[in-house]
Amino acid sequence: AQSVTQLDSQVPVFEEAPVELRCNYSSSVSVYLFWYVQYPNQGLQLLLKYLSGSTLVESINGFEAEFNKSQTSFHLRKPSVHISDTAEYFCAVRPVGGYQKVTFGTGTKLQVIP
Amino acid sequence: ETGVTQSPTHLIKTRGQQVTLRCSSQSGHNTVSWYQQALGQGPQFIFQYYREEENGRGNFPPRFSGLQFPNYSSELNVNALELDDSALYLCASSLAGGTGAYNEQFFGPGTRLTVL
């Protein structure tokens, strides 16, 4: 079984400041790792994913996440946030192989303050 | 190429009733997964259908059931609705390949179910 922990339920940050959203996971098998973003009253959009290879992955809108196997973490970072980044962010894992069950964390609400 | 669509967008039911939610998978996809997202929570896996058969289930009671049709669209049925069933229900489609192959899931916008 897998579990995902997002310790911060809400993160307020000023516009153009850096931000880090923390994610830790637990799994007895190898997993893929994901960050999803959810804007108000919308579904989930995949922000970035780690499948294998380089432990640093980047999205097209400036977010990056680093897979740390020893610490079982996959923290999300952005050096300078914009108002449009205000949303809820979910960290998730999925076992490699087998059926495609995704286990999500409880989410972190990023509030960008003008 | 159309994305994942869900209907209806919103639904209000009363306790004890039954509800059917629908999902049209992305063109070419053969796998559909359903998730329940309660207010303030992350999505929880309900079950997955692959080629019209359930091939994985989360910790949900039997009153949550589903179907997948030959065109790979899917339905989620919930019987004997309870207040705690109020949530956003998300479906996700993907193309399942060989063992170990990664196949991306694409999520629909969800159906907001309110049980009174």
Side-chain angles (χ1 to χ4, degrees):
Chain A
Q2 292 79 46
S3 66
V4 177
T5 302
Q6 292 180 250
L7 289 174
D8 305 307
S9 59
Q10 294 190 57
V11 173
V13 61
F14 286 103
E15 193 174 16
E16 297 184 4
V19 70
E20 179 179 79
L21 306 184
R22 296 180 292 169
C23 172
N24 289 89
Y25 72 94
S26 173
S27 176
S28 57
V29 300
S30 296
V31 293
Y32 301 125
L33 296 127
F34 309 89
W35 277 98
Y36 286 86
V37 59
Q38 187 174 40
Y39 297 100
N41 300 314
Q42 294 189 25
L44 296 169
Q45 298 176 29
L46 181 64
L47 187 61
L48 45 75
K49 61 181 181 280
Y50 171 79
L51 305 182
S52 64
S54 172
T55 57
L56 185 65
V57 291
E58 299 176 351
S59 72
I60 58 174
N61 56 355
F63 282 94
E64 64 179 29
E66 186 159 20
F67 170 52
N68 187 318
K69 188 173 183 179
S70 63
Q71 297 187 5
T72 59
S73 67
F74 191 54
H75 301 330
L76 181 69
R77 296 187 291 261
K78 189 170 186 180
S80 176
V81 295
H82 303 288
I83 292 290
S84 59
D85 294 325
T86 295
E88 189 153 21
Y89 292 80
F90 293 93
C91 181
V93 300
R94 195 181 103 190
V96 175
Y99 67 91
Q100 299 169 16
K101 172 186 175 181
V102 179
T103 300
F104 289 86
T106 51
T108 298
K109 290 183 179 176
L110 175 61
Q111 179 68 46
V112 181
I113 305 164
Chain B
E1 179 182 279
T2 57
V4 180
T5 60
Q6 293 185 243
S7 63
T9 306
H10 296 86
L11 201 52
I12 299 175
K13 291 285 188 178
T14 56
R15 197 170 50 181
Q17 286 189 311
Q18 178 266 343
V19 69
T20 298
L21 310 181
R22 295 177 175 82
C23 172
S24 291
S25 58
Q26 187 163 310
S27 177
H29 287 181
N30 58 12
T31 302
V32 173
S33 302
W34 285 91
Y35 294 82
Q36 179 196 66
Q37 185 180 11
L39 197 62
Q41 301 295 317
Q44 299 288 316
F45 177 76
I46 303 175
F47 43 54
Q48 180 180 98
Y49 278 81
Y50 170 65
R51 292 186 175 178
E52 302 178 57
E53 297 215 357
E54 182 183 299
N55 74 335
R57 190 177 184 93
N59 294 325
F60 281 81
R63 60 189 186 84
F64 284 79
S65 62
L67 283 173
Q68 188 179 31
F69 299 100
N71 67 353
Y72 301 126
S73 65
S74 178
E75 286 183 354
L76 164 65
N77 298 291
V78 187
N79 294 320
L81 283 167
E82 301 177 359
L83 297 180
D84 286 348
D85 295 334
S86 294
L88 179 69
Y89 288 85
L90 298 163
C91 79
S93 76
S94 60
L95 176 63
T99 301
Y102 172 76
N103 298 286
E104 192 146 324
Q105 288 189 339
F106 294 84
F107 282 82
T111 293
R112 175 76 61 186
L113 172 65
T114 301
V115 182
L116 302 176

